[in-house]
Amino acid sequence: MKFFVDVILPLPIPGVFTYSLDEADSNNIQVGCRVIVPFGKKKYYTAIVFSIHHVMPQEYEVKPVFTILDKYPILLPSQLQFWEWISDYYISALGDVFKAALPSGLKLESETMVELNMDYIGSPDLSEKELRVLHLLSDDPIQCITKIAKDSGIDNILPIANSLLERGAILLREELKEQYRPRMESRIRFTKEYNHPDKVENLFELLSNAPKQLDIVIKYVELSSLLNQKEIKEVSKHRLLEGARASSSSLNGLIQKGILEEYDIEIGRLRVENIQEQDLHPLDKSQQKAYQEIEEVFDTKQVCLLYGVTSSGKTEIYIHFIEEYLNSGKQILYLLPEIALTTQITERLKRVFGDKLGIYHSKFSDAERVEIWRKQLSSNPYQIILGVRSSIFLPFQNLGLVIVDEEHETTYKQQDPAPRYHARDAVIVLAHMCGAKVLLGTATPSIESWYNAQYGKFGLVELKERYKDIQLPEVIPIDIQELKRKKRMSGQFSPPLLAMMREALDKNEQIILFQNRRGFAPVVECKTCGWVPKCTNCDVSLTYHKKLNQLTCHYCGYTYQLPDVCPACEAKDLTHRGFGTEKVEDEIKLIFPNISVGRMDLDTTRTKTRYEKIISDFQEGRTKILIGTQMVSKGLDFDHVSVVGILNADTMLNYPDFRAYERAYQLMAQVSGRAGRKNKRGRVILQTRSMDHPIILQVINNRYEDMVQNQLEERQVFHYPPYYRLIYVYLKHRDEKKLDFMARTMASQLRTVFGSRVLGPDKPPVGRIQTFYIKKIVLKIERDVSTQQTKKALLNIKERMLADKRFKSLIVYYDVDPM
């Protein structure tokens, strides 16, 4: 009987693709395994087996599976089900989900060029075919894979290439790359002839005239515990040479004499730390009450929203729930909105749960992420995963609890590329599939979550007291419009803010300054003619970065050297308008020259070690003033911060988006919450030109529920979430005039189906990015309208548009539940 497999390819193409399978291979393959398949004329890709069946497609000729990569599935059935849901709900191809979910190291894409890795040392257990390939490459280090297959006489070359890739012997250029290579370590041991304590004394005599070699043998005996009759330990080559203070040539001499032999062993990249585990801290009265209320909610509902003010001890409640679910044999996923937060919480969780905790985020190398993925499929997985958005795709064999900390954060939403999923919403569906509970925690709930809790979809538990009854910070508004008019501002700092900073520094306390814009100045302008440098690829002005002395586009990365004179009029009168975190840092260093200052934004946290050092320096008191963007607002816990300065609240209020007021409140409330968390009441200086703005007054008085009520009333009138679903339709093209016509055509087709629910097309705030012009169409869909019918209609319209030859180069995509 003929066997066929449907596979998911890592391509933005709808559906699955069918390939034939030899009967001999049908017993060696399962759903969720990786296979290599041909696609197109000369391309090969790693694909995931979606189903196995006996039905031959009639529409096209079926190609055979090239090779099978896995003995066991790398995807669990629940993961494939989850992939299908994400693809369906967010209107994206399964291939897009595949690319987002799987670490790059598990994807082998084919092209044709093979390169010999000159750093490869060699391995004694290479097969005859592998040696044949390496011999061919030794004559010509870069060759076409089809030529190697022809010259070597090996028909199925890709499995051999895959094996050599894993050993690190070859590199495959362009698309054919096995990104993941196991970390190998060279080990040393006695050959069979000498691997016994009785033989060692003979060696001492034999090597009496070779003192360096004798030192190596003595050190090996010591490190391996051979003479102690214990289990013989493996000895690394590096440790042996370092311990014996010997050279590689002396070791090679022993290998040539047949006394020692060298071999490679795979070692993990995942750090195993010996941390003394601590007992859980007892919950205080209010925390214990909240804990019990959450348990009661979980008796009847799957999702509970924990609305707790900043510094109320939500994390301690999470830890107690983790302990409870661990004791029942369940796995826990703990989601955070930012990688920067993992540093503090990792230390806290490690002290309680030790090596049961695994970390997963994009600052880890791809090889590390592959190893975590494989560990989660093993018989000894991490019981707790602490991660960011992408960790929802990891394999969970027995998921029992999901914690979404700071659930309101917009960083849970994936923007580009597809699938444009929201991790909070998606993980609620994943938990439902796995029979797990979800705990959402925040001091400023998203309006959607608050609405769901008020109307009974989620449970709601409130925690309104700070830990140890410390008062919420005092928020002091400062009218900078009036101060600037009277010329009393020192750069970006009002006199009250500077006075409180000096007072805090005198008491050896710490300060956080918040400015939600990075760089030195958002705009450089010629005072004479008004020239402003703009990005050549995007419709935005370039941001000046003083440290690099260059202008940078924060959308595409384009850089432009700051000119000495205006290119338009040759005047030398170039000035900076606005300010970012870099400029704040410069000014603070001038005002407080002897105080250590740190800056935390995207420019200073490019690597895992950089953000860890910034947080560590501030936490340990080595840095006294921390300047940052919204990164500093997200759940960081510092003991000695007594003053927080919000330098310009107005930039958050004036963004053209229906969520602007909600986000402004959340940001200001969250960053205010960093003040006075442990020892005493903190103070927040809120600088603004809009003293009477309702959001400013609500932040000052901590009136979250008033803010929500006002926003809900507006959104109901104007048909916004949570009363309506939003879907944005984005169209992109390099020709602006053609795009206008295409967008009007698509909007017309959408109106024939959706009528007045369609708004636009309009130009978004940034109308061109990376040389593509952009148009946006908005759909507002009632909650009771069938989502399946809506998405089916949208896919049909997109298909018709792209089938029109006039629209061949048009890019169209949907953003469901945009942020």
Side-chain angles (χ1 to χ4, degrees), residues 309-312 466-467 470-476 500 504 509-513 618 632-633 635-646 667-685:
V309 297
T310 54
S311 197
S312 57
R466 276 189 152 193
Y467 186 62
I470 293 171
Q471 286 181 284
L472 285 166
E474 178 190 7
V475 181
I476 304 164
M500 288 185 195
E509 294 168 345
Q510 291 175 299
I511 299 149
I512 290 177
L513 298 176
F618 196 64
V632 300
S633 73
L636 294 171
D637 188 3
F638 301 113
D639 290 357
H640 304 295
V641 174
S642 62
V643 174
V644 165
I646 298 172
L667 265 175
M668 286 187 270
Q670 288 285 344
V671 77
S672 299
R674 303 314 109 203
R677 294 175 67 87
K678 289 290 187 292
N679 305 313
K680 65 173 189 178
R681 189 182 191 193
R683 291 179 291 181
V684 178
I685 302 298

Side-chain angles (χ1 to χ4, degrees), residues 7 183 188 231 303 311 351 371 390 412 658 754 758 766:
V7 303
R183 176 180 265 182
I188 302 296
E231 182 182 351
V303 183
S311 197
R351 286 196 294 268
E371 292 196 13
S390 58
Y412 282 124
F658 76 94
F754 297 104
V758 180
V766 180

Side-chain angles (χ1 to χ4, degrees), residues 104-116:
S104 297
L106 293 174
K107 296 184 287 240
L108 175 73
E109 298 183 5
S110 131
E111 230 288 279
T112 51
M113 300 307 293
V114 177
E115 181 179 358
L116 181 67

Side-chain angles (χ1 to χ4, degrees), residues 352-564:
V352 180
F353 302 110
D355 60 6
K356 298 184 187 76
L357 177 72
I359 321 296
Y360 191 82
H361 57 62
S362 60
K363 285 288 195 292
F364 278 4
S365 71
D366 195 66
E368 286 176 303
R369 281 180 280 158
V370 169
E371 292 196 13
I372 292 171
W373 188 284
R374 292 192 186 280
K375 182 172 173 64
Q376 291 310 95
L377 289 168
S378 73
S379 58
N380 182 34
Y382 288 119
Q383 292 303 104
I384 310 160
I385 288 290
L386 177 66
V388 292
R389 189 172 62 221
S390 58
S391 57
I392 68 172
F393 293 113
L394 279 171
F396 291 97
Q397 300 180 48
N398 192 16
L399 186 64
L401 176 68
V402 178
I403 296 166
V404 185
D405 197 15
E406 310 296 348
E407 67 81 29
H408 65 280
E409 283 290 350
T410 56
T411 44
Y412 282 124
K413 171 73 172 177
Q414 163 74 9
Q415 301 295 346
D416 280 308
R420 296 170 179 85
Y421 65 96
H422 196 299
R424 178 200 62 212
D425 299 344
V427 86
I428 289 172
V429 175
L430 175 66
H432 178 73
M433 290 174 177
C434 299
K437 301 294 185 182
V438 181
L439 180 56
L440 309 176
T442 177
T444 53
S446 65
I447 287 178
E448 286 86 347
S449 292
W450 180 261
Y451 179 85
N452 284 333
Q454 291 297 312
Y455 286 87
K457 186 176 181 180
F458 299 167
L460 175 64
V461 173
E462 298 186 36
L463 188 58
K464 293 194 171 181
E465 297 173 17
R466 276 189 152 193
Y467 186 62
K468 292 187 177 178
D469 294 325
I470 293 171
Q471 286 181 284
L472 285 166
E474 178 190 7
V475 181
I476 304 164
I478 302 295
D479 186 351
I480 55 174
Q481 179 89 348
E482 183 65 14
L483 289 172
K484 284 192 174 182
R485 189 182 67 79
K486 294 178 178 178
K487 298 184 178 178
R488 292 182 56 200
M489 293 285 287
S490 299
Q492 317 308 323
F493 313 104
S494 61
L497 174 57
L498 290 175
M500 288 185 195
M501 289 175 69
R502 289 191 178 95
E503 182 185 336
L505 292 171
D506 289 343
K507 294 178 181 177
N508 202 28
E509 294 168 345
Q510 291 175 299
I511 299 149
I512 290 177
L513 298 176
F514 172 71
Q515 168 60 12
N516 203 26
R517 191 188 290 272
R518 62 189 171 103
F520 187 83
V523 177
V524 172
E525 183 183 47
C526 173
K527 276 189 173 181
T528 303
C529 72
W531 172 82
V532 173
K534 294 194 173 181
C535 178
T536 59
N537 306 316
C538 312
D539 277 348
V540 291
S541 58
L542 297 172
T543 299
Y544 176 53
H545 289 256
K546 186 179 179 183
K547 190 173 182 182
L548 301 171
N549 193 34
Q550 68 182 20
L551 298 155
T552 303
C553 174
H554 288 171
Y555 284 87
C556 72
Y558 169 81
T559 59
Y560 176 71
Q561 206 64 33
L562 183 69
D564 295 324

Side-chain angles (χ1 to χ4, degrees), residues 762-780:
D762 293 309
K763 188 176 178 180
V766 180
R768 187 171 64 111
I769 296 177
Q770 296 179 358
T771 73
F772 282 94
Y773 290 94
I774 306 167
K775 287 287 185 179
K776 183 174 84 171
I777 302 169
V778 176
L779 267 72
K780 295 180 178 181

Side-chain angles (χ1 to χ4, degrees), residues 204-488:
F204 291 162
E205 293 179 18
L206 181 68
L207 298 173
S208 58
N209 293 324
K212 288 292 183 184
Q213 293 183 354
L214 182 59
D215 287 344
I216 291 173
V217 169
I218 292 170
K219 195 66 186 176
Y220 172 78
V221 170
E222 177 193 328
L223 293 173
S224 66
S225 306
L226 183 64
L227 294 183
N228 297 334
Q229 295 298 316
K230 296 178 181 177
E231 182 182 351
I232 297 174
K233 297 176 183 174
E234 292 181 320
V235 179
S236 77
K237 178 179 178 180
H238 174 75
R239 190 178 175 204
L240 178 61
L241 291 176
E242 191 178 59
R245 296 183 179 178
S247 65
S248 295
S249 58
S250 299
L251 177 60
N252 291 337
L254 287 166
I255 292 171
Q256 288 166 10
K257 289 176 181 177
I259 296 170
L260 294 176
E261 62 183 6
E262 182 177 348
Y263 63 101
D264 289 335
I265 190 168
E266 182 179 339
I267 59 170
R269 292 174 172 82
L270 307 180
R271 289 177 289 179
V272 179
E273 302 173 48
N274 294 318
I275 296 177
Q276 185 66 42
E277 292 187 22
Q278 299 176 356
D279 293 332
L280 274 68
H281 295 299
L283 299 175
D284 69 14
K285 187 178 177 181
S286 59
Q287 290 170 335
Q288 185 63 42
K289 182 174 179 288
Y291 181 87
Q292 290 169 349
E293 289 176 359
I294 294 166
E295 284 197 314
E296 290 169 9
V297 167
F298 282 160
D299 288 339
T300 57
K301 297 184 188 298
Q302 183 210 353
V303 183
C304 180
L305 173 63
L306 174 59
Y307 168 37
V309 297
T310 54
S311 197
S312 57
K314 294 186 291 294
T315 306
E316 202 60 51
I317 293 174
Y318 301 156
I319 290 171
H320 279 255
F321 270 105
I322 291 170
E323 177 76 4
E324 178 187 330
Y325 279 81
L326 277 181
N327 291 338
S328 64
K330 297 290 188 179
Q331 288 178 294
I332 296 95
L333 172 59
Y334 190 142
L335 283 180
L336 293 167
E338 286 277 359
I339 292 167
L341 296 185
T342 59
T343 302
Q344 281 197 329
I345 293 180
T346 299
E347 293 172 2
R348 196 163 170 183
L349 294 181
K350 282 275 187 192
R351 286 196 294 268
V352 180
F353 302 110
D355 60 6
K356 298 184 187 76
L357 177 72
I359 321 296
Y360 191 82
H361 57 62
S362 60
K363 285 288 195 292
F364 278 4
S365 71
D366 195 66
E368 286 176 303
R369 281 180 280 158
V370 169
E371 292 196 13
I372 292 171
W373 188 284
R374 292 192 186 280
K375 182 172 173 64
Q376 291 310 95
L377 289 168
S378 73
S379 58
N380 182 34
Y382 288 119
Q383 292 303 104
I384 310 160
I385 288 290
L386 177 66
V388 292
R389 189 172 62 221
S390 58
S391 57
I392 68 172
F393 293 113
L394 279 171
F396 291 97
Q397 300 180 48
N398 192 16
L399 186 64
L401 176 68
V402 178
I403 296 166
V404 185
D405 197 15
E406 310 296 348
E407 67 81 29
H408 65 280
E409 283 290 350
T410 56
T411 44
Y412 282 124
K413 171 73 172 177
Q414 163 74 9
Q415 301 295 346
D416 280 308
R420 296 170 179 85
Y421 65 96
H422 196 299
R424 178 200 62 212
D425 299 344
V427 86
I428 289 172
V429 175
L430 175 66
H432 178 73
M433 290 174 177
C434 299
K437 301 294 185 182
V438 181
L439 180 56
L440 309 176
T442 177
T444 53
S446 65
I447 287 178
E448 286 86 347
S449 292
W450 180 261
Y451 179 85
N452 284 333
Q454 291 297 312
Y455 286 87
K457 186 176 181 180
F458 299 167
L460 175 64
V461 173
E462 298 186 36
L463 188 58
K464 293 194 171 181
E465 297 173 17
R466 276 189 152 193
Y467 186 62
K468 292 187 177 178
D469 294 325
I470 293 171
Q471 286 181 284
L472 285 166
E474 178 190 7
V475 181
I476 304 164
I478 302 295
D479 186 351
I480 55 174
Q481 179 89 348
E482 183 65 14
L483 289 172
K484 284 192 174 182
R485 189 182 67 79
K486 294 178 178 178
K487 298 184 178 178
R488 292 182 56 200

